[in-house]
Every structure is written in structure tokens, then in C-alpha cells.
Amino acid sequence: MIELCKLIWCGLIGLFRSRASLEIEILVLRHQLNILRRKSPKRPILGRIDRLVFVGLYGLVPDVLSVLAIVRPETVIRWHRAGFRLYWRWKSRPHGGRPKLPVDVRQLIRDIGIANPLWGAPRIHGELLKLGIEVGQTTVAKYMVRGSSEPGMEDVSSQPC
């Protein structure tokens, strides 16, 4: 945690200098040294904060990939893209909304509409209310079967003479 505070402090001081890209490069090198100084067996273990630091610095200055020594540049780009996907997946998640109408009620609306083709949404809505099913008239209209034309009303002009 102290390493992270030192890194943030050095980063804040370095960003106010005129050669910001050089300072960020030094910051990346220092962070890599901090990771290598940790006691780890063969391979350095990168935590989430380490990855976030590399990705954040890459977002600020993409040229920082040339100084990476313990991580391949493709890996940092992959982390950056994964974070981007994760953010937009979170951003576009469903936020709830109205509950769906049960399947049996939808099927009942369709069956009533098919059995009574001259009935509209207000009439079917009234019949459902009589049965004790609380549903809106626009919902009934949404789930009604749309007929192409009324039965027995064929086009007279298309018949042969």
C-alpha cells in the first residue's frame, strides 16, 4: 500500500513538469521495480491495482508500451480492452423495468382473440377484468393476435367474373 502511495505521489509531482511523457515513463519503470522487489517465487505476481496502474498510464500516454519490461505490451492492451468491455457491459446492463406478463395470461389473450375475431382490446380487457386478471388495455392490445382481415370479407375485385 505504501508503494502505491509513493507511486501516486511521484505521479502527481511528475505530471506538473513540462516533460510529462518522460515522467510517466519513469513512473512505469519505478512501478515495475516495485513489483520486482516484492518477494515472489519465479514470476512476478501482478495484482488488480498493478494492472490498473499500467492500464491507466497506457490510457494517458500510449507510448509507455515501449518501456515495459516485466509485462508484454500486448498484455496491457488486452487488459485495457477487457476493462473497456467490462465498463460497457456494466453500463448497458438491464435496469429492471415492468414485470413480464405470465405466459398463461398471454396465451389466454391470444385464445380469446382467436375465438372472438370481432372483439377488440377493450372488450377482451373487460372480460379479463371479470375473470379477476388485472392487466392494462394496452397490454391486451400488445398481445392480441393481429388478423390480416375479417373472416368472410374477401376482396370482391380479385374474383373472376
Side-chain angles (χ1 to χ4, degrees):
M1 191 65 180
I2 294 173
E3 296 169 354
L4 181 63
C5 292
K6 286 180 184 178
L7 185 67
I8 292 172
W9 177 253
C10 292
L12 288 175
I13 292 174
L15 289 176
F16 290 112
R17 295 183 185 159
S18 61
R19 297 182 291 174
S21 65
L22 181 62
E23 294 298 325
I24 287 186
E25 181 176 327
I26 292 170
L27 193 62
V28 168
L29 291 171
R30 283 183 185 163
H31 189 61
Q32 290 182 57
L33 285 174
N34 288 337
I35 290 172
L36 289 174
R37 284 184 190 143
R38 292 182 196 154
K39 294 179 181 178
S40 60
K42 296 179 182 177
R43 225 171 113 181
I45 299 172
L46 298 174
R48 290 182 181 173
I49 294 177
D50 298 326
R51 292 179 182 189
L52 187 64
V53 167
F54 284 133
V55 168
L57 292 174
Y58 167 70
L60 287 174
V61 180
D63 297 334
V64 84
L65 293 178
S66 62
V67 297
L68 288 173
I70 63 171
V71 179
R72 290 187 301 182
E74 301 87 36
T75 306
V76 174
I77 294 173
R78 188 178 72 236
W79 291 340
H80 187 268
R81 289 179 179 164
F84 189 78
R85 279 193 308 271
L86 185 67
Y87 171 76
W88 283 107
R89 188 177 302 131
W90 170 80
K91 188 82 169 158
S92 61
R93 72 191 186 284
H95 295 288
R98 289 183 176 258
K100 296 219 180 236
L101 200 61
V103 178
D104 55 340
V105 175
R106 283 185 277 175
Q107 189 60 42
L108 180 64
I109 292 171
R110 287 187 195 103
D111 291 343
I112 292 174
I114 291 171
N116 306 296
L118 297 178
W119 287 11
R123 178 98 185 249
I124 295 175
H125 176 247
E127 294 298 320
L128 290 173
L129 288 177
K130 289 178 187 175
L131 294 173
I133 300 173
E134 295 289 329
V135 68
Q137 184 175 329
T138 54
T139 306
V140 172
K142 177 180 172 182
Y143 291 114
M144 280 179 56
V145 176
R146 309 224 191 297
S148 58
S149 65
E150 295 179 16
M153 302 292 288
E154 290 81 24
D155 192 9
V156 180
S157 61
S158 64
Q159 294 179 354
C161 294

